[in-house]
Amino acid sequence: MERKIGLILTGGGARAAYQVGVLKAIAEILPRHAHNPFSIICGTSAGALNAVTLAVNALHFRKGVQYLLSIWNNSRVEDIYRSDPVGVFNNSGRWLAGLLLSSMGINKLNRVSLLDNSPLVTFLEETLPCEKIQESINAGVLYALSITASGYGSGHSVTFYQGAKGIRPWKRARRLGIPARIEVKHLLASAALPFIFPAVRINREYFGDGSMRQIAPISSALHLGANRVLVIGVGQGTAEPPKRSRIGDYPSLAQIAGHALNSIFLDSLEVDLERLQRINRTMSMMPEEARQKTNLRHVDVLVIAPSQSIEKIAERYAANLPWTIRFLLRWVGAMRRSGANLVSYLLFEKAFCRALIDVGYQDAMRRKEEILAFFEQPEASENLPRGRTFGRAPE
């Protein structure tokens, strides 16, 4: 069977800078002039930007990573959404008016969102030549790219994919995959944080952040043909449950919003991985003859996730936000410690992004031998303790 390695880049707003640190380490670990090592690249939300950048530069993997480093190392809030007083207060005022009018059954305001992401639209249109995705596919260095978004009308998780001939569309419960020529609008739709950024119309439906209804984040890579998958998450990769605290003040709006975003971006991946591990254990107990009669196959999965709390890192850099955004977030309680979760999704400032890149780089370098073994590089140690899971996520 031809080896197809899939890369899954999850969502999480500014947290996606962590992925770039991991990719930087991988670029250094692999041979210097290697092409894109990932046949299949799947991006969701902010991870979609990273995914498309890699796909565009698939002929030169290091070049793509360097370009991502340049973007995230110099990131500013104003590159993603308007932070000037007029932009912030005009948009937030429209958002509040929209909520009020909607409560009265009046829907007169279109594209209502807390923040105006028009700077991101301009940035992507000027810097991301999506037409090169097909060039990478034609050159044979990329098999498929997918971007997932959530349909507000249908309630489906829709994976738009562009790839080699022979990939068949799929339809499962509340999720489907359809062929498309990936454009900037797909990235904007996938990264449209609920309530915060405006929905994007694609064909006949409005779409929002791809993580909202993505109940099986690994499945798109498998549908596209991956038989080995690297997942770069943005939630702290620890098995230890958080410490219970005494009952304090009633949770602020920011704390509730941060909790909701964590549920959207982190929980489905953890559940999908847990399901995969359970299938793996079940298959390991089946005799070889019985395994051959099933349509299950082994999928080698390596997961790299932050070793440190991103919320605590965000606390240190929250003051770097423009005063207008701090004022707006303070109004909903986000500038208190309990609101750091929400801040971590919106903190597109270079100091915070560089800190996440460094954490991602260090996390990946500490697992260098695992990464080499995953890519089946000869430098991998024969006695490497395997930190990977095997099994099949549901398609």
Short mmCIF file of all heavy atoms in Angstrom, two decimals, residues 333-395:
data_model
loop_
_atom_site.label_atom_id
_atom_site.label_comp_id
_atom_site.label_asym_id
_atom_site.label_seq_id
_atom_site.Cartn_x
_atom_site.Cartn_y
_atom_site.Cartn_z
N GLY A 333 -15.46 40.83 30.93
CA GLY A 333 -14.73 40.13 31.98
C GLY A 333 -13.56 39.31 31.51
O GLY A 333 -13.01 38.50 32.26
N ALA A 334 -13.11 39.54 30.28
CA ALA A 334 -12.03 38.72 29.72
C ALA A 334 -10.65 39.12 30.22
O ALA A 334 -9.71 38.34 30.09
CB ALA A 334 -12.04 38.80 28.19
N MET A 335 -10.50 40.31 30.79
CA MET A 335 -9.18 40.73 31.23
C MET A 335 -8.86 40.25 32.64
O MET A 335 -7.77 40.49 33.15
CB MET A 335 -9.07 42.26 31.14
CG MET A 335 -9.19 42.80 29.72
SD MET A 335 -8.09 42.01 28.52
CE MET A 335 -6.51 42.64 29.06
N ARG A 336 -9.82 39.57 33.26
CA ARG A 336 -9.52 38.92 34.52
C ARG A 336 -8.92 37.56 34.24
O ARG A 336 -9.02 37.02 33.13
CB ARG A 336 -10.81 38.76 35.36
CG ARG A 336 -11.46 40.09 35.72
CD ARG A 336 -12.43 39.91 36.89
NE ARG A 336 -13.53 39.02 36.55
CZ ARG A 336 -14.71 39.45 36.09
NH1 ARG A 336 -14.90 40.73 35.86
NH2 ARG A 336 -15.67 38.59 35.84
N ARG A 337 -8.30 36.97 35.25
CA ARG A 337 -7.62 35.68 35.06
C ARG A 337 -8.57 34.63 34.50
O ARG A 337 -8.20 33.83 33.64
CB ARG A 337 -7.03 35.21 36.39
CG ARG A 337 -6.36 33.84 36.30
CD ARG A 337 -5.62 33.49 37.58
NE ARG A 337 -4.54 34.44 37.84
CZ ARG A 337 -3.72 34.35 38.87
NH1 ARG A 337 -3.89 33.39 39.77
NH2 ARG A 337 -2.75 35.24 39.04
N SER A 338 -9.81 34.63 34.97
CA SER A 338 -10.77 33.63 34.52
C SER A 338 -11.14 33.79 33.05
O SER A 338 -11.72 32.88 32.44
CB SER A 338 -12.04 33.69 35.38
OG SER A 338 -12.64 34.97 35.27
N GLY A 339 -10.83 34.96 32.47
CA GLY A 339 -11.17 35.19 31.07
C GLY A 339 -10.01 35.00 30.11
O GLY A 339 -10.15 35.27 28.92
N ALA A 340 -8.86 34.53 30.61
CA ALA A 340 -7.68 34.37 29.75
C ALA A 340 -7.91 33.38 28.62
O ALA A 340 -7.26 33.46 27.58
CB ALA A 340 -6.48 33.94 30.59
N ASN A 341 -8.83 32.46 28.82
CA ASN A 341 -9.14 31.49 27.79
C ASN A 341 -9.62 32.18 26.52
O ASN A 341 -9.15 31.90 25.41
CB ASN A 341 -10.21 30.53 28.31
CG ASN A 341 -10.00 29.12 27.84
OD1 ASN A 341 -9.12 28.86 27.04
ND2 ASN A 341 -10.80 28.22 28.35
N LEU A 342 -10.58 33.08 26.67
CA LEU A 342 -11.10 33.83 25.53
C LEU A 342 -10.01 34.69 24.91
O LEU A 342 -9.87 34.74 23.68
CB LEU A 342 -12.28 34.69 25.97
CG LEU A 342 -12.88 35.63 24.91
CD1 LEU A 342 -13.38 34.84 23.72
CD2 LEU A 342 -14.01 36.46 25.52
N VAL A 343 -9.21 35.32 25.74
CA VAL A 343 -8.12 36.18 25.24
C VAL A 343 -7.16 35.38 24.36
O VAL A 343 -6.69 35.87 23.33
CB VAL A 343 -7.36 36.82 26.42
CG1 VAL A 343 -6.09 37.52 25.93
CG2 VAL A 343 -8.25 37.82 27.14
N SER A 344 -6.88 34.14 24.73
CA SER A 344 -5.90 33.32 24.00
C SER A 344 -6.32 33.08 22.55
O SER A 344 -5.47 32.84 21.69
CB SER A 344 -5.68 31.98 24.70
OG SER A 344 -6.82 31.14 24.59
N TYR A 345 -7.62 33.13 22.26
CA TYR A 345 -8.10 32.94 20.89
C TYR A 345 -7.98 34.21 20.05
O TYR A 345 -7.95 34.14 18.82
CB TYR A 345 -9.55 32.47 20.91
CG TYR A 345 -9.73 31.05 21.41
CD1 TYR A 345 -10.02 30.80 22.75
CD2 TYR A 345 -9.58 29.96 20.56
CE1 TYR A 345 -10.17 29.50 23.22
CE2 TYR A 345 -9.73 28.66 21.02
CZ TYR A 345 -10.03 28.44 22.35
OH TYR A 345 -10.16 27.14 22.82
N LEU A 346 -7.93 35.37 20.71
CA LEU A 346 -7.94 36.65 19.99
C LEU A 346 -6.61 37.39 20.04
O LEU A 346 -6.45 38.43 19.42
CB LEU A 346 -9.02 37.55 20.60
CG LEU A 346 -10.45 37.03 20.53
CD1 LEU A 346 -11.39 37.99 21.27
CD2 LEU A 346 -10.91 36.86 19.10
N LEU A 347 -5.62 36.84 20.74
CA LEU A 347 -4.36 37.55 21.00
C LEU A 347 -3.37 37.37 19.85
O LEU A 347 -2.32 36.74 19.98
CB LEU A 347 -3.76 37.05 22.31
CG LEU A 347 -2.58 37.81 22.93
CD1 LEU A 347 -2.83 39.31 22.95
CD2 LEU A 347 -2.30 37.29 24.32
N PHE A 348 -3.69 37.95 18.71
CA PHE A 348 -2.84 37.85 17.52
C PHE A 348 -1.72 38.88 17.59
O PHE A 348 -1.51 39.64 16.63
CB PHE A 348 -3.66 38.05 16.26
CG PHE A 348 -4.62 36.93 15.95
CD1 PHE A 348 -5.94 36.99 16.39
CD2 PHE A 348 -4.22 35.82 15.23
CE1 PHE A 348 -6.84 35.98 16.12
CE2 PHE A 348 -5.12 34.80 14.94
CZ PHE A 348 -6.43 34.87 15.39
N GLU A 349 -1.00 38.92 18.68
CA GLU A 349 0.13 39.83 18.84
C GLU A 349 1.43 39.03 18.83
O GLU A 349 1.49 37.92 19.37
CB GLU A 349 0.00 40.63 20.13
CG GLU A 349 -1.06 41.72 20.09
CD GLU A 349 -0.71 42.84 19.11
OE1 GLU A 349 0.48 43.17 18.97
OE2 GLU A 349 -1.65 43.39 18.48
N LYS A 350 2.47 39.60 18.22
CA LYS A 350 3.68 38.85 17.96
C LYS A 350 4.35 38.28 19.21
O LYS A 350 4.91 37.18 19.16
CB LYS A 350 4.68 39.68 17.15
CG LYS A 350 5.12 40.98 17.81
CD LYS A 350 6.02 41.75 16.86
CE LYS A 350 6.49 43.08 17.46
NZ LYS A 350 7.32 43.86 16.51
N ALA A 351 4.29 38.98 20.32
CA ALA A 351 4.94 38.48 21.53
C ALA A 351 4.31 37.17 21.98
O ALA A 351 5.00 36.21 22.32
CB ALA A 351 4.86 39.52 22.65
N PHE A 352 2.98 37.12 21.98
CA PHE A 352 2.26 35.91 22.35
C PHE A 352 2.50 34.81 21.32
O PHE A 352 2.77 33.66 21.68
CB PHE A 352 0.77 36.22 22.45
CG PHE A 352 -0.10 35.02 22.72
CD1 PHE A 352 0.01 34.31 23.91
CD2 PHE A 352 -1.05 34.62 21.79
CE1 PHE A 352 -0.80 33.20 24.16
CE2 PHE A 352 -1.87 33.53 22.04
CZ PHE A 352 -1.74 32.82 23.23
N CYS A 353 2.42 35.16 20.04
CA CYS A 353 2.61 34.17 18.99
C CYS A 353 4.03 33.59 19.02
O CYS A 353 4.21 32.37 18.83
CB CYS A 353 2.31 34.79 17.62
SG CYS A 353 0.57 35.25 17.40
N ARG A 354 5.00 34.44 19.27
CA ARG A 354 6.38 33.93 19.35
C ARG A 354 6.56 33.00 20.54
O ARG A 354 7.29 32.00 20.45
CB ARG A 354 7.35 35.11 19.46
CG ARG A 354 7.49 35.90 18.16
CD ARG A 354 8.38 37.13 18.33
NE ARG A 354 8.48 37.87 17.08
CZ ARG A 354 9.17 39.01 16.93
NH1 ARG A 354 9.82 39.52 17.98
NH2 ARG A 354 9.21 39.61 15.76
N ALA A 355 5.88 33.29 21.64
CA ALA A 355 5.96 32.41 22.81
C ALA A 355 5.36 31.04 22.48
O ALA A 355 5.92 30.00 22.85
CB ALA A 355 5.23 33.04 23.99
N LEU A 356 4.24 31.02 21.75
CA LEU A 356 3.63 29.75 21.37
C LEU A 356 4.49 28.99 20.36
O LEU A 356 4.60 27.76 20.43
CB LEU A 356 2.24 29.99 20.78
CG LEU A 356 1.15 30.51 21.72
CD1 LEU A 356 -0.21 30.45 21.04
CD2 LEU A 356 1.11 29.70 23.01
N ILE A 357 5.10 29.72 19.43
CA ILE A 357 5.99 29.08 18.47
C ILE A 357 7.15 28.40 19.19
O ILE A 357 7.53 27.27 18.87
CB ILE A 357 6.52 30.11 17.45
CG1 ILE A 357 5.38 30.54 16.51
CG2 ILE A 357 7.68 29.55 16.64
CD1 ILE A 357 5.73 31.72 15.61
N ASP A 358 7.69 29.08 20.18
CA ASP A 358 8.80 28.51 20.95
C ASP A 358 8.37 27.25 21.70
O ASP A 358 9.10 26.25 21.72
CB ASP A 358 9.35 29.54 21.92
CG ASP A 358 10.58 29.04 22.66
OD1 ASP A 358 11.59 28.75 21.99
OD2 ASP A 358 10.53 28.92 23.90
N VAL A 359 7.17 27.28 22.30
CA VAL A 359 6.67 26.10 23.00
C VAL A 359 6.49 24.94 22.02
O VAL A 359 6.88 23.80 22.30
CB VAL A 359 5.34 26.41 23.72
CG1 VAL A 359 4.73 25.13 24.30
CG2 VAL A 359 5.55 27.42 24.83
N GLY A 360 5.90 25.23 20.86
CA GLY A 360 5.71 24.19 19.85
C GLY A 360 7.01 23.60 19.36
O GLY A 360 7.14 22.37 19.20
N TYR A 361 8.00 24.46 19.15
CA TYR A 361 9.31 24.00 18.69
C TYR A 361 9.97 23.10 19.73
O TYR A 361 10.47 22.01 19.41
CB TYR A 361 10.20 25.21 18.39
CG TYR A 361 11.60 24.87 17.95
CD1 TYR A 361 11.85 24.50 16.64
CD2 TYR A 361 12.67 24.90 18.85
CE1 TYR A 361 13.14 24.18 16.22
CE2 TYR A 361 13.96 24.59 18.45
CZ TYR A 361 14.18 24.23 17.13
OH TYR A 361 15.45 23.89 16.73
N GLN A 362 9.96 23.54 20.98
CA GLN A 362 10.58 22.75 22.05
C GLN A 362 9.85 21.43 22.26
O GLN A 362 10.49 20.39 22.47
CB GLN A 362 10.60 23.56 23.36
CG GLN A 362 11.42 24.84 23.30
CD GLN A 362 12.89 24.59 22.97
OE1 GLN A 362 13.43 23.53 23.28
NE2 GLN A 362 13.53 25.58 22.35
N ASP A 363 8.53 21.45 22.21
CA ASP A 363 7.76 20.22 22.37
C ASP A 363 8.12 19.20 21.30
O ASP A 363 8.28 18.01 21.58
CB ASP A 363 6.25 20.52 22.30
CG ASP A 363 5.73 21.17 23.57
OD1 ASP A 363 6.47 21.22 24.58
OD2 ASP A 363 4.57 21.64 23.55
N ALA A 364 8.23 19.67 20.05
CA ALA A 364 8.53 18.76 18.95
C ALA A 364 9.98 18.25 19.02
O ALA A 364 10.24 17.08 18.78
CB ALA A 364 8.28 19.45 17.62
N MET A 365 10.91 19.13 19.37
CA MET A 365 12.31 18.70 19.43
C MET A 365 12.53 17.68 20.53
O MET A 365 13.40 16.79 20.40
CB MET A 365 13.22 19.92 19.63
CG MET A 365 13.26 20.86 18.44
SD MET A 365 13.74 20.07 16.87
CE MET A 365 15.48 19.73 17.18
N ARG A 366 11.77 17.78 21.62
CA ARG A 366 11.88 16.77 22.67
C ARG A 366 11.40 15.41 22.20
O ARG A 366 11.75 14.39 22.80
CB ARG A 366 11.08 17.22 23.90
CG ARG A 366 11.81 18.22 24.80
CD ARG A 366 11.13 18.37 26.14
NE ARG A 366 9.82 18.99 26.02
CZ ARG A 366 9.63 20.30 26.12
NH1 ARG A 366 10.65 21.12 26.30
NH2 ARG A 366 8.40 20.81 26.01
N ARG A 367 10.63 15.39 21.14
CA ARG A 367 10.11 14.13 20.61
C ARG A 367 10.71 13.81 19.24
O ARG A 367 10.08 13.17 18.40
CB ARG A 367 8.58 14.20 20.54
CG ARG A 367 7.95 14.45 21.91
CD ARG A 367 6.46 14.62 21.83
NE ARG A 367 5.79 13.39 21.43
CZ ARG A 367 4.47 13.29 21.30
NH1 ARG A 367 3.70 14.33 21.55
NH2 ARG A 367 3.93 12.14 20.91
N LYS A 368 11.93 14.24 19.06
CA LYS A 368 12.61 14.10 17.76
C LYS A 368 12.64 12.66 17.29
O LYS A 368 12.35 12.37 16.11
CB LYS A 368 14.03 14.67 17.86
CG LYS A 368 14.83 14.54 16.56
CD LYS A 368 16.21 15.16 16.71
CE LYS A 368 17.00 15.02 15.41
NZ LYS A 368 18.35 15.65 15.52
N GLU A 369 13.00 11.74 18.16
CA GLU A 369 13.10 10.36 17.73
C GLU A 369 11.73 9.78 17.35
O GLU A 369 11.62 8.98 16.43
CB GLU A 369 13.78 9.51 18.81
CG GLU A 369 15.27 9.80 18.96
CD GLU A 369 15.99 8.73 19.75
OE1 GLU A 369 15.30 7.95 20.45
OE2 GLU A 369 17.21 8.66 19.66
N GLU A 370 10.70 10.17 18.07
CA GLU A 370 9.35 9.73 17.70
C GLU A 370 8.98 10.25 16.32
O GLU A 370 8.38 9.53 15.51
CB GLU A 370 8.34 10.26 18.72
CG GLU A 370 8.18 9.41 19.96
CD GLU A 370 7.05 9.94 20.82
OE1 GLU A 370 5.89 9.55 20.57
OE2 GLU A 370 7.32 10.74 21.72
N ILE A 371 9.33 11.51 16.05
CA ILE A 371 9.01 12.10 14.74
C ILE A 371 9.77 11.40 13.63
O ILE A 371 9.22 11.09 12.57
CB ILE A 371 9.30 13.61 14.77
CG1 ILE A 371 8.30 14.31 15.71
CG2 ILE A 371 9.23 14.21 13.37
CD1 ILE A 371 8.61 15.77 15.97
N LEU A 372 11.05 11.12 13.87
CA LEU A 372 11.84 10.40 12.88
C LEU A 372 11.25 9.02 12.61
O LEU A 372 11.17 8.57 11.46
CB LEU A 372 13.29 10.27 13.35
CG LEU A 372 14.14 11.55 13.29
CD1 LEU A 372 15.45 11.37 14.04
CD2 LEU A 372 14.41 11.94 11.83
N ALA A 373 10.83 8.34 13.67
CA ALA A 373 10.23 7.02 13.50
C ALA A 373 8.91 7.12 12.75
O ALA A 373 8.59 6.26 11.92
CB ALA A 373 10.01 6.38 14.87
N PHE A 374 8.15 8.16 13.02
CA PHE A 374 6.87 8.36 12.34
C PHE A 374 7.07 8.51 10.84
O PHE A 374 6.31 7.97 10.04
CB PHE A 374 6.18 9.59 12.92
CG PHE A 374 4.85 9.91 12.29
CD1 PHE A 374 3.71 9.24 12.68
CD2 PHE A 374 4.75 10.88 11.30
CE1 PHE A 374 2.48 9.52 12.09
CE2 PHE A 374 3.54 11.17 10.71
CZ PHE A 374 2.39 10.49 11.10
N PHE A 375 8.10 9.28 10.46
CA PHE A 375 8.40 9.47 9.04
C PHE A 375 9.30 8.37 8.48
O PHE A 375 9.71 8.43 7.32
CB PHE A 375 9.05 10.83 8.81
CG PHE A 375 8.11 11.99 8.97
CD1 PHE A 375 8.17 12.81 10.09
CD2 PHE A 375 7.15 12.25 8.01
CE1 PHE A 375 7.31 13.87 10.24
CE2 PHE A 375 6.28 13.32 8.16
CZ PHE A 375 6.36 14.14 9.28
N GLU A 376 9.63 7.39 9.33
CA GLU A 376 10.47 6.25 8.95
C GLU A 376 11.81 6.71 8.40
O GLU A 376 12.31 6.23 7.38
CB GLU A 376 9.74 5.37 7.93
CG GLU A 376 8.48 4.74 8.50
CD GLU A 376 7.77 3.81 7.52
OE1 GLU A 376 8.14 3.83 6.32
OE2 GLU A 376 6.87 3.10 7.94
N GLN A 377 12.40 7.65 9.12
CA GLN A 377 13.74 8.11 8.78
C GLN A 377 14.76 7.19 9.42
O GLN A 377 14.56 6.69 10.53
CB GLN A 377 13.95 9.55 9.27
CG GLN A 377 13.08 10.56 8.56
CD GLN A 377 13.40 10.68 7.08
OE1 GLN A 377 14.55 10.81 6.69
NE2 GLN A 377 12.37 10.62 6.25
N PRO A 378 15.90 6.93 8.76
CA PRO A 378 16.89 5.98 9.28
C PRO A 378 17.54 6.40 10.59
O PRO A 378 18.10 5.58 11.29
CB PRO A 378 17.92 5.92 8.15
CG PRO A 378 17.75 7.18 7.36
CD PRO A 378 16.28 7.48 7.44
N GLU A 379 17.46 7.70 10.95
CA GLU A 379 18.10 8.15 12.19
C GLU A 379 17.32 7.73 13.43
O GLU A 379 17.79 7.88 14.55
CB GLU A 379 18.23 9.69 12.19
CG GLU A 379 19.15 10.24 11.11
CD GLU A 379 18.40 10.52 9.82
OE1 GLU A 379 17.26 9.99 9.66
OE2 GLU A 379 18.94 11.26 8.97
N ALA A 380 16.09 7.22 13.25
CA ALA A 380 15.27 6.86 14.40
C ALA A 380 15.90 5.73 15.19
O ALA A 380 16.46 4.79 14.63
CB ALA A 380 13.87 6.44 13.94
N SER A 381 15.82 5.80 16.51
CA SER A 381 16.41 4.80 17.39
C SER A 381 15.66 3.49 17.29
O SER A 381 14.43 3.44 17.21
CB SER A 381 16.38 5.30 18.83
OG SER A 381 16.71 4.25 19.71
N GLU A 382 16.40 2.37 17.28
CA GLU A 382 15.78 1.04 17.25
C GLU A 382 15.02 0.77 18.53
O GLU A 382 14.07 0.00 18.55
CB GLU A 382 16.87 -0.02 17.06
CG GLU A 382 17.56 0.02 15.70
CD GLU A 382 16.64 -0.46 14.59
OE1 GLU A 382 15.71 -1.22 14.90
OE2 GLU A 382 16.85 -0.07 13.44
N ASN A 383 15.43 1.36 19.63
CA ASN A 383 14.84 1.07 20.94
C ASN A 383 13.86 2.16 21.38
O ASN A 383 13.61 2.32 22.56
CB ASN A 383 15.95 0.92 22.00
CG ASN A 383 16.91 -0.20 21.65
OD1 ASN A 383 16.48 -1.27 21.26
ND2 ASN A 383 18.20 0.07 21.79
N LEU A 384 13.33 2.88 20.41
CA LEU A 384 12.45 3.99 20.74
C LEU A 384 11.16 3.48 21.39
O LEU A 384 10.48 2.63 20.83
CB LEU A 384 12.09 4.76 19.47
CG LEU A 384 11.08 5.89 19.62
CD1 LEU A 384 11.66 7.01 20.44
CD2 LEU A 384 10.64 6.39 18.26
N PRO A 385 10.81 4.00 22.57
CA PRO A 385 9.51 3.66 23.14
C PRO A 385 8.40 4.35 22.37
O PRO A 385 8.43 5.56 22.18
CB PRO A 385 9.59 4.21 24.58
CG PRO A 385 10.58 5.31 24.49
CD PRO A 385 11.58 4.89 23.44
N ARG A 386 7.44 3.60 21.87
CA ARG A 386 6.41 4.17 21.02
C ARG A 386 5.41 4.98 21.82
O ARG A 386 4.82 4.49 22.77
CB ARG A 386 5.66 3.06 20.27
CG ARG A 386 6.59 2.22 19.38
CD ARG A 386 7.26 3.07 18.33
NE ARG A 386 8.01 2.24 17.39
CZ ARG A 386 9.09 2.63 16.77
NH1 ARG A 386 9.58 3.82 17.01
NH2 ARG A 386 9.70 1.85 15.91
N GLY A 387 5.19 6.24 21.40
CA GLY A 387 4.21 7.09 22.06
C GLY A 387 3.00 7.29 21.18
O GLY A 387 2.25 8.23 21.35
N ARG A 388 2.81 6.37 20.18
CA ARG A 388 1.77 6.57 19.21
C ARG A 388 0.59 5.63 19.45
O ARG A 388 0.71 4.66 20.17
CB ARG A 388 2.33 6.35 17.79
CG ARG A 388 3.41 7.33 17.41
CD ARG A 388 4.10 6.94 16.13
NE ARG A 388 5.01 5.81 16.36
CZ ARG A 388 5.59 5.16 15.36
NH1 ARG A 388 5.38 5.49 14.14
NH2 ARG A 388 6.42 4.18 15.62
N THR A 389 -0.50 5.93 18.81
CA THR A 389 -1.67 5.08 18.93
C THR A 389 -2.00 4.51 17.57
O THR A 389 -1.69 5.10 16.53
CB THR A 389 -2.88 5.89 19.44
OG1 THR A 389 -3.11 6.97 18.54
CG2 THR A 389 -2.61 6.43 20.83
N PHE A 390 -2.62 3.33 17.55
CA PHE A 390 -2.99 2.69 16.31
C PHE A 390 -4.47 2.36 16.33
O PHE A 390 -5.02 1.97 17.34
CB PHE A 390 -2.19 1.40 16.09
CG PHE A 390 -0.72 1.64 15.95
CD1 PHE A 390 0.09 1.76 17.06
CD2 PHE A 390 -0.15 1.78 14.71
CE1 PHE A 390 1.45 1.99 16.94
CE2 PHE A 390 1.21 2.00 14.58
CZ PHE A 390 2.00 2.11 15.68
N GLY A 391 -5.08 2.47 15.19
CA GLY A 391 -6.49 2.16 15.10
C GLY A 391 -7.11 2.93 13.96
O GLY A 391 -6.42 3.41 13.08
N ARG A 392 -8.40 3.03 13.99
CA ARG A 392 -9.06 3.76 12.93
C ARG A 392 -10.13 4.66 13.47
O ARG A 392 -11.04 4.20 14.17
CB ARG A 392 -9.67 2.78 11.93
CG ARG A 392 -10.16 3.48 10.65
CD ARG A 392 -10.90 2.54 9.77
NE ARG A 392 -11.12 3.14 8.46
CZ ARG A 392 -11.96 2.64 7.55
NH1 ARG A 392 -12.64 1.55 7.82
NH2 ARG A 392 -12.10 3.23 6.39
N ALA A 393 -10.01 5.94 13.17
CA ALA A 393 -11.08 6.85 13.55
C ALA A 393 -12.25 6.63 12.61
O ALA A 393 -12.07 6.19 11.48
CB ALA A 393 -10.59 8.29 13.47
N PRO A 394 -13.46 6.92 13.04
CA PRO A 394 -14.62 6.68 12.19
C PRO A 394 -14.60 7.58 10.97
O PRO A 394 -14.27 8.74 11.05
CB PRO A 394 -15.80 7.02 13.12
CG PRO A 394 -15.24 7.99 14.09
CD PRO A 394 -13.83 7.55 14.32
N GLU A 395 -14.95 6.99 9.81
CA GLU A 395 -15.02 7.78 8.58
C GLU A 395 -16.41 8.38 8.43
O GLU A 395 -17.34 7.99 9.09
CB GLU A 395 -14.69 6.91 7.38
CG GLU A 395 -13.22 6.49 7.35
CD GLU A 395 -12.86 5.81 6.05
OE1 GLU A 395 -13.76 5.52 5.25
OE2 GLU A 395 -11.68 5.57 5.82
#
